[in-house]
Amino acid sequence: MLTLFSSDHALHHPRTEMADGKLVSAVEIPSRAELIVDAVETARLGPIEPPQTIEFDTLTSVHDARYVEFLKEFWRAWLDSGRDPKVHDAFPFVWPMHGLRRITTRHLDGLMGRYSFDAGTPMGPGTWKAALSSAAVARTGALRVVEDQQPVFSLCRPPGHHAMPDAFGGYCFLNNAAIAAQTFLDAGSSRVAILDVDYHHGNGTQSIFYNRRDVLFISIHADPMDEYPYFLGHADELGAGVGEGANLNLPLPLGTGWEDYKEALALALRTVNQSGAEALVVSLGLDTYEGDPISQFRLNTLDFVKMGAAIRSVDKPTLIVLEGGYATDALASNALAFFEGYLGG
Ligand code: OKP
Ligand code: ZN
């Protein structure tokens, strides 16, 4: 299996994030991707290649152009506003909600609030370049699936599934899975399914395609009544307009283990199989692991073998896109376990 990877991911290296009323150590850190790429290499899963450059127009096929412009110009604006160039974790802290106006301000704090939805997603000098490389890894992955008619692994970092049409959050800036799905459509697929198995609901991916029929979004995740992102990912969100019926959320209780997880996965896979989709994008989060530091499901390493095997039963051109997973001591083995099951190793 081909893996796409860009070392530019490491240009985004947050040290801290806002949580529990204080700054705590960041968990979405460069070693995540390094551990997985090393494992792919050591296990000889196949070639590891860099992505092609990605066009601005590709980004704006799923994101608002002014939002993408904001991300691109952020660090320059930070410096121009006279702020500390040594700071590398910048956070928004005021948002245009609850009747406040969604205005694009001159002040950078206003701009950051306009284009974000949480305070847990640090931005620094290299964030844009890293996010761009991650999107390119996803896009090139989809192009290679079309070209080679083989499954491909896009080893994306930073992750993407929380990134909204016009807002960053949840460690995500550009929606890699959405860009991949759109790439399949542009290459001729009439319908694409996205299966999101990250522990957290993919609110960004859902939002991007909520009013569309051509992309079916299916997500298995911790119940947002009890878990981030709280304000989206509930079972009654079914899609809207012509997209009604093209969105399926399968929230599960905190503490869920494989016995219950596999039932939800079977339902999700049946839905994918019956959807008429001509390609599949898997948003693969490894944070459903029992030892994940910020998550509360109970899958073990062997369960990832079973998950990989179950997902492989879908007979469609498939791109696997990396999302979350923060247990650095187990990321390599969990990724390899998934691919062992997926590739029938
Ligand atoms: C990104 B992905 C924990 C706060 C949680 C957001 C989690 C984003 C997860 N102290 N903050 O879906 O893995
Ligand atoms: Zn997650």
Side-chain angles (χ1 to χ4, degrees):
M1 180 193 59
L2 171 65
T3 295
L4 289 160
F5 174 74
S6 169
S7 46
D8 280 356
H9 80 85
L11 297 169
H12 177 60
H13 47 80
R15 284 179 200 162
T16 54
E17 65 172 271
M18 299 274 280
D20 308 328
K22 56 185 188 294
L23 286 174
V24 300
S25 293
V27 295
E28 203 298 283
I29 49 178
S31 61
R32 296 181 56 245
E34 297 300 333
L35 287 161
I36 296 175
V37 80
D38 287 352
V40 166
E41 192 172 3
T42 310
R44 299 177 192 276
L45 286 195
I48 300 168
E49 294 180 17
Q52 299 163 220
T53 56
I54 186 166
E55 307 289 326
F56 193 84
D57 283 357
T58 305
L59 305 177
T60 58
S61 68
V62 302
H63 290 291
D64 179 287
R66 278 158 302 193
Y67 168 64
V68 179
E69 210 56 62
F70 158 78
L71 290 177
K72 181 163 176 257
E73 299 304 328
F74 171 76
W75 191 248
R76 170 82 354 231
W78 179 270
L79 296 178
D80 287 352
S81 67
R83 295 166 85 152
D84 185 350
K86 290 188 298 296
V87 165
H88 64 85
D89 295 335
F91 304 95
F93 47 83
V94 55
W95 290 274
M97 323 282 292
H98 310 291
L100 302 180
R101 292 175 65 189
R102 254 185 151 189
I103 287 169
T104 308
T105 62
R106 267 190 294 275
H107 198 286
L108 191 52
D109 290 340
L111 264 184
M112 274 197 280
R114 168 63 187 82
Y115 290 121
S116 68
F117 67 90
D118 75 16
T121 308
M123 288 182 83
T127 297
W128 163 249
K129 231 183 148 190
L132 192 64
S133 79
S134 194
V137 162
R139 163 135 177 113
T140 306
L143 292 172
R144 290 299 295 269
V145 170
V146 171
E147 214 175 285
D148 308 349
Q149 291 296 308
Q150 299 277 341
V152 171
F153 177 34
S154 285
L155 206 173
C156 292
R157 182 184 171 270
H161 74 151
H162 296 298
M164 302 287 275
D166 63 353
F168 68 93
Y171 316 149
C172 301
F173 303 93
L174 295 170
N175 197 308
N176 307 316
I179 287 164
Q182 188 62 49
T183 299
F184 279 121
L185 294 173
D186 295 344
S189 294
S190 60
R191 195 165 206 223
V192 179
I194 301 175
L195 172 62
D196 188 325
V197 295
D198 187 279
Y199 170 80
H200 304 91
H201 176 251
N203 58 283
T205 318
Q206 169 171 313
S207 297
I208 287 168
F209 299 117
Y210 204 65
N211 293 285
R212 289 168 54 171
R213 269 209 86 60
D214 54 352
V215 178
L216 169 66
F217 178 71
I218 303 171
S219 180
I220 307 170
H221 51 269
D223 188 340
M225 289 303 275
D226 300 309
E227 185 54 275
Y228 185 94
Y230 311 113
F231 306 113
L232 216 59
H234 303 270
D236 62 350
E237 297 157 13
L238 302 173
V242 295
E244 199 175 329
N247 195 85
L248 177 63
N249 284 325
L250 301 171
L252 298 173
L254 303 190
T256 292
W258 179 250
E259 282 312 301
D260 296 314
Y261 192 95
K262 73 171 196 302
E263 303 298 331
L265 183 59
L267 172 57
L269 292 171
R270 274 201 303 281
T271 309
V272 171
N273 280 320
Q274 293 164 4
S275 66
E278 294 171 356
L280 173 65
V281 176
V282 179
S283 270
L284 176 64
L286 297 167
D287 44 7
T288 48
Y289 177 57
E290 57 190 356
D292 194 272
I294 65 166
S295 310
Q296 298 183 59
F297 277 1
R298 293 191 187 136
L299 303 199
N300 61 39
T301 300
L302 285 175
D303 295 331
F304 285 105
V305 181
K306 298 174 199 159
M307 185 193 288
I311 292 175
R312 188 56 190 263
S313 71
V314 174
D315 185 23
K316 297 179 192 297
T318 298
L319 179 71
I320 315 275
V321 172
L322 184 67
E323 301 286 356
Y326 308 97
T328 47
D329 59 335
L331 270 181
S333 36
N334 290 341
L336 289 183
F338 178 88
F339 287 112
E340 182 189 327
Y342 189 77
L343 301 170

